[in-house]
mmCIF file of all heavy atoms in Angstrom:
data_model
loop_
_atom_site.group_PDB
_atom_site.id
_atom_site.type_symbol
_atom_site.label_atom_id
_atom_site.label_comp_id
_atom_site.label_asym_id
_atom_site.label_seq_id
_atom_site.Cartn_x
_atom_site.Cartn_y
_atom_site.Cartn_z
ATOM 1 N N MET P 1 5.731 2.042 -10.245
ATOM 2 C CA MET P 1 4.866 1.765 -9.108
ATOM 3 C C MET P 1 4.681 0.253 -8.975
ATOM 4 O O MET P 1 4.400 -0.427 -9.950
ATOM 5 C CB MET P 1 3.523 2.469 -9.298
ATOM 6 C CG MET P 1 2.649 2.540 -8.052
ATOM 7 S SD MET P 1 1.614 1.086 -7.788
ATOM 8 C CE MET P 1 0.628 1.053 -9.273
ATOM 9 N N VAL P 2 4.871 -0.243 -7.763
ATOM 10 C CA VAL P 2 4.831 -1.678 -7.495
ATOM 11 C C VAL P 2 3.539 -2.022 -6.764
ATOM 12 O O VAL P 2 3.124 -1.309 -5.854
ATOM 13 C CB VAL P 2 6.044 -2.113 -6.641
ATOM 14 C CG1 VAL P 2 5.967 -3.595 -6.309
ATOM 15 C CG2 VAL P 2 7.348 -1.779 -7.352
ATOM 16 N N VAL P 3 2.901 -3.122 -7.156
ATOM 17 C CA VAL P 3 1.715 -3.625 -6.465
ATOM 18 C C VAL P 3 2.069 -4.963 -5.832
ATOM 19 O O VAL P 3 2.553 -5.879 -6.514
ATOM 20 C CB VAL P 3 0.527 -3.812 -7.426
ATOM 21 C CG1 VAL P 3 -0.685 -4.351 -6.664
ATOM 22 C CG2 VAL P 3 0.184 -2.503 -8.116
ATOM 23 N N THR P 4 1.836 -5.080 -4.522
ATOM 24 C CA THR P 4 2.124 -6.309 -3.796
ATOM 25 C C THR P 4 0.833 -6.834 -3.186
ATOM 26 O O THR P 4 0.098 -6.088 -2.535
ATOM 27 C CB THR P 4 3.157 -6.068 -2.681
ATOM 28 O OG1 THR P 4 4.365 -5.547 -3.248
ATOM 29 C CG2 THR P 4 3.464 -7.358 -1.941
ATOM 30 N N TRP P 5 0.572 -8.117 -3.395
ATOM 31 C CA TRP P 5 -0.632 -8.748 -2.850
ATOM 32 C C TRP P 5 -0.241 -9.608 -1.652
ATOM 33 O O TRP P 5 0.446 -10.613 -1.797
ATOM 34 C CB TRP P 5 -1.302 -9.612 -3.911
ATOM 35 C CG TRP P 5 -1.843 -8.824 -5.064
ATOM 36 C CD1 TRP P 5 -1.141 -8.301 -6.111
ATOM 37 C CD2 TRP P 5 -3.215 -8.452 -5.271
ATOM 38 N NE1 TRP P 5 -1.985 -7.626 -6.969
ATOM 39 C CE2 TRP P 5 -3.259 -7.708 -6.479
ATOM 40 C CE3 TRP P 5 -4.399 -8.690 -4.580
ATOM 41 C CZ2 TRP P 5 -4.439 -7.192 -6.990
ATOM 42 C CZ3 TRP P 5 -5.585 -8.185 -5.092
ATOM 43 C CH2 TRP P 5 -5.600 -7.444 -6.272
ATOM 44 N N GLY P 6 -0.646 -9.171 -0.469
ATOM 45 C CA GLY P 6 -0.397 -9.944 0.737
ATOM 46 C C GLY P 6 0.846 -9.496 1.466
ATOM 47 O O GLY P 6 1.883 -9.200 0.852
ATOM 48 N N ILE P 7 0.741 -9.462 2.787
ATOM 49 C CA ILE P 7 1.836 -8.967 3.620
ATOM 50 C C ILE P 7 3.077 -9.840 3.504
ATOM 51 O O ILE P 7 4.212 -9.346 3.586
ATOM 52 C CB ILE P 7 1.375 -8.862 5.099
ATOM 53 C CG1 ILE P 7 2.443 -8.175 5.951
ATOM 54 C CG2 ILE P 7 1.019 -10.231 5.657
ATOM 55 C CD1 ILE P 7 2.692 -6.745 5.575
ATOM 56 N N ASP P 8 2.906 -11.146 3.276
ATOM 57 C CA ASP P 8 4.062 -12.046 3.216
ATOM 58 C C ASP P 8 4.910 -11.812 1.972
ATOM 59 O O ASP P 8 6.065 -12.248 1.922
ATOM 60 C CB ASP P 8 3.598 -13.503 3.259
ATOM 61 C CG ASP P 8 2.980 -13.882 4.597
ATOM 62 O OD1 ASP P 8 3.313 -13.216 5.605
ATOM 63 O OD2 ASP P 8 2.156 -14.817 4.634
ATOM 64 N N SER P 9 4.348 -11.155 0.979
ATOM 65 C CA SER P 9 5.098 -10.889 -0.256
ATOM 66 C C SER P 9 5.756 -9.517 -0.252
ATOM 67 O O SER P 9 6.508 -9.183 -1.178
ATOM 68 C CB SER P 9 4.168 -10.992 -1.471
ATOM 69 O OG SER P 9 3.583 -12.276 -1.561
ATOM 70 N N LEU P 10 5.478 -8.716 0.782
ATOM 71 C CA LEU P 10 5.998 -7.349 0.827
ATOM 72 C C LEU P 10 7.403 -7.308 1.408
ATOM 73 O O LEU P 10 7.690 -7.942 2.430
ATOM 74 C CB LEU P 10 5.070 -6.467 1.665
ATOM 75 C CG LEU P 10 5.444 -4.980 1.708
ATOM 76 C CD1 LEU P 10 5.093 -4.314 0.385
ATOM 77 C CD2 LEU P 10 4.736 -4.273 2.864
ATOM 78 N N GLU P 11 8.258 -6.546 0.777
ATOM 79 C CA GLU P 11 9.616 -6.355 1.290
ATOM 80 C C GLU P 11 9.599 -5.387 2.469
ATOM 81 O O GLU P 11 8.968 -4.327 2.412
ATOM 82 C CB GLU P 11 10.519 -5.803 0.191
ATOM 83 C CG GLU P 11 11.950 -5.551 0.637
ATOM 84 C CD GLU P 11 12.799 -4.902 -0.436
ATOM 85 O OE1 GLU P 11 12.245 -4.584 -1.509
ATOM 86 O OE2 GLU P 11 14.012 -4.696 -0.200
ATOM 87 N N TYR P 12 10.280 -5.756 3.550
ATOM 88 C CA TYR P 12 10.440 -4.839 4.675
ATOM 89 C C TYR P 12 11.414 -3.742 4.270
ATOM 90 O O TYR P 12 12.523 -4.019 3.805
ATOM 91 C CB TYR P 12 10.976 -5.584 5.903
ATOM 92 C CG TYR P 12 11.349 -4.667 7.057
ATOM 93 C CD1 TYR P 12 10.422 -4.350 8.036
ATOM 94 C CD2 TYR P 12 12.625 -4.099 7.141
ATOM 95 C CE1 TYR P 12 10.745 -3.499 9.090
ATOM 96 C CE2 TYR P 12 12.953 -3.253 8.186
ATOM 97 C CZ TYR P 12 12.019 -2.955 9.151
ATOM 98 O OH TYR P 12 12.346 -2.110 10.186
ATOM 99 N N ILE P 13 10.994 -2.496 4.423
ATOM 100 C CA ILE P 13 11.868 -1.366 4.132
ATOM 101 C C ILE P 13 11.741 -0.367 5.276
ATOM 102 O O ILE P 13 10.675 0.235 5.477
ATOM 103 C CB ILE P 13 11.516 -0.685 2.800
ATOM 104 C CG1 ILE P 13 11.717 -1.658 1.634
ATOM 105 C CG2 ILE P 13 12.354 0.580 2.604
ATOM 106 C CD1 ILE P 13 11.406 -1.060 0.272
ATOM 107 N N ALA P 14 12.792 -0.216 6.045
ATOM 108 C CA ALA P 14 12.798 0.784 7.108
ATOM 109 C C ALA P 14 12.637 2.166 6.487
ATOM 110 O O ALA P 14 13.180 2.445 5.406
ATOM 111 C CB ALA P 14 14.102 0.706 7.897
ATOM 112 N N GLY P 15 11.884 3.015 7.154
ATOM 113 C CA GLY P 15 11.675 4.353 6.615
ATOM 114 C C GLY P 15 10.533 4.410 5.625
ATOM 115 O O GLY P 15 10.573 5.169 4.645
ATOM 116 N N THR P 16 9.489 3.609 5.856
ATOM 117 C CA THR P 16 8.306 3.617 4.990
ATOM 118 C C THR P 16 7.303 4.651 5.499
ATOM 119 O O THR P 16 7.001 4.706 6.696
ATOM 120 C CB THR P 16 7.640 2.236 4.953
ATOM 121 O OG1 THR P 16 8.518 1.311 4.287
ATOM 122 C CG2 THR P 16 6.307 2.283 4.218
ATOM 123 N N ALA P 17 6.794 5.469 4.591
ATOM 124 C CA ALA P 17 5.689 6.379 4.892
ATOM 125 C C ALA P 17 4.439 5.740 4.303
ATOM 126 O O ALA P 17 4.401 5.425 3.121
ATOM 127 C CB ALA P 17 5.928 7.746 4.270
ATOM 128 N N ALA P 18 3.404 5.541 5.139
ATOM 129 C CA ALA P 18 2.247 4.773 4.702
ATOM 130 C C ALA P 18 0.936 5.479 5.012
ATOM 131 O O ALA P 18 0.853 6.315 5.912
ATOM 132 C CB ALA P 18 2.255 3.395 5.373
ATOM 133 N N THR P 19 -0.069 5.119 4.230
ATOM 134 C CA THR P 19 -1.449 5.467 4.544
ATOM 135 C C THR P 19 -2.274 4.208 4.371
ATOM 136 O O THR P 19 -1.900 3.305 3.619
ATOM 137 C CB THR P 19 -1.980 6.612 3.669
ATOM 138 O OG1 THR P 19 -3.282 7.012 4.130
ATOM 139 C CG2 THR P 19 -2.074 6.199 2.214
ATOM 140 N N LEU P 20 -3.407 4.151 5.065
ATOM 141 C CA LEU P 20 -4.185 2.929 5.162
ATOM 142 C C LEU P 20 -5.657 3.240 4.967
ATOM 143 O O LEU P 20 -6.185 4.157 5.598
ATOM 144 C CB LEU P 20 -3.954 2.305 6.548
ATOM 145 C CG LEU P 20 -4.818 1.130 6.976
ATOM 146 C CD1 LEU P 20 -4.389 -0.130 6.231
ATOM 147 C CD2 LEU P 20 -4.694 0.911 8.486
ATOM 148 N N GLY P 21 -6.329 2.492 4.074
ATOM 149 C CA GLY P 21 -7.759 2.719 3.917
ATOM 150 C C GLY P 21 -8.335 1.968 2.734
ATOM 151 O O GLY P 21 -7.614 1.399 1.914
ATOM 152 N N SER P 22 -9.671 1.998 2.627
ATOM 153 C CA SER P 22 -10.347 1.343 1.511
ATOM 154 C C SER P 22 -10.131 2.104 0.210
ATOM 155 O O SER P 22 -10.032 1.520 -0.868
ATOM 156 C CB SER P 22 -11.846 1.236 1.808
ATOM 157 O OG SER P 22 -12.060 0.463 2.969
ATOM 158 N N TYR P 23 -10.130 3.422 0.281
ATOM 159 C CA TYR P 23 -9.890 4.287 -0.885
ATOM 160 C C TYR P 23 -10.831 3.985 -2.038
ATOM 161 O O TYR P 23 -10.442 4.043 -3.210
ATOM 162 C CB TYR P 23 -8.423 4.210 -1.331
ATOM 163 C CG TYR P 23 -7.518 5.021 -0.433
ATOM 164 C CD1 TYR P 23 -6.761 4.423 0.567
ATOM 165 C CD2 TYR P 23 -7.463 6.399 -0.557
ATOM 166 C CE1 TYR P 23 -5.963 5.176 1.413
ATOM 167 C CE2 TYR P 23 -6.670 7.169 0.276
ATOM 168 C CZ TYR P 23 -5.923 6.552 1.265
ATOM 169 O OH TYR P 23 -5.151 7.304 2.107
ATOM 170 N N ASP P 24 -12.092 3.676 -1.730
ATOM 171 C CA ASP P 24 -13.059 3.421 -2.799
ATOM 172 C C ASP P 24 -13.352 4.716 -3.552
ATOM 173 O O ASP P 24 -13.765 5.713 -2.963
ATOM 174 C CB ASP P 24 -14.355 2.852 -2.218
ATOM 175 C CG ASP P 24 -15.352 2.474 -3.298
ATOM 176 O OD1 ASP P 24 -14.909 2.087 -4.398
ATOM 177 O OD2 ASP P 24 -16.569 2.562 -3.040
ATOM 178 N N GLY P 25 -13.130 4.704 -4.851
ATOM 179 C CA GLY P 25 -13.364 5.881 -5.677
ATOM 180 C C GLY P 25 -12.112 6.676 -5.968
ATOM 181 O O GLY P 25 -12.015 7.350 -6.991
ATOM 182 N N VAL P 26 -11.120 6.616 -5.057
ATOM 183 C CA VAL P 26 -9.900 7.416 -5.194
ATOM 184 C C VAL P 26 -10.284 8.831 -5.648
ATOM 185 O O VAL P 26 -9.888 9.303 -6.716
ATOM 186 C CB VAL P 26 -8.875 6.770 -6.145
ATOM 187 C CG1 VAL P 26 -7.502 7.433 -5.999
ATOM 188 C CG2 VAL P 26 -8.746 5.278 -5.872
ATOM 189 N N HIS P 27 -11.081 9.500 -4.834
ATOM 190 C CA HIS P 27 -11.605 10.826 -5.169
ATOM 191 C C HIS P 27 -10.629 11.926 -4.746
ATOM 192 O O HIS P 27 -9.506 11.631 -4.262
ATOM 193 C CB HIS P 27 -12.982 11.031 -4.533
ATOM 194 C CG HIS P 27 -13.034 10.766 -3.055
ATOM 195 N ND1 HIS P 27 -12.346 11.525 -2.129
ATOM 196 C CD2 HIS P 27 -13.705 9.817 -2.341
ATOM 197 C CE1 HIS P 27 -12.590 11.078 -0.916
ATOM 198 N NE2 HIS P 27 -13.406 10.030 -1.005
ATOM 199 N N LEU P 28 -11.026 13.171 -4.916
ATOM 200 C CA LEU P 28 -10.127 14.291 -4.639
ATOM 201 C C LEU P 28 -9.725 14.365 -3.168
ATOM 202 O O LEU P 28 -8.615 14.796 -2.844
ATOM 203 C CB LEU P 28 -10.788 15.600 -5.067
ATOM 204 C CG LEU P 28 -10.992 15.778 -6.580
ATOM 205 C CD1 LEU P 28 -11.674 17.116 -6.871
ATOM 206 C CD2 LEU P 28 -9.669 15.681 -7.332
ATOM 207 N N GLY P 29 -10.627 13.948 -2.265
ATOM 208 C CA GLY P 29 -10.263 13.908 -0.854
ATOM 209 C C GLY P 29 -9.170 12.891 -0.597
ATOM 210 O O GLY P 29 -8.237 13.137 0.189
#
């Protein structure tokens, strides 16, 4: 698993499946 800090450091990869959010707690939901 890779962690990238900042959009400028992220590799563009066509065919990315993404989710977006704060995810505080990373709970069962």
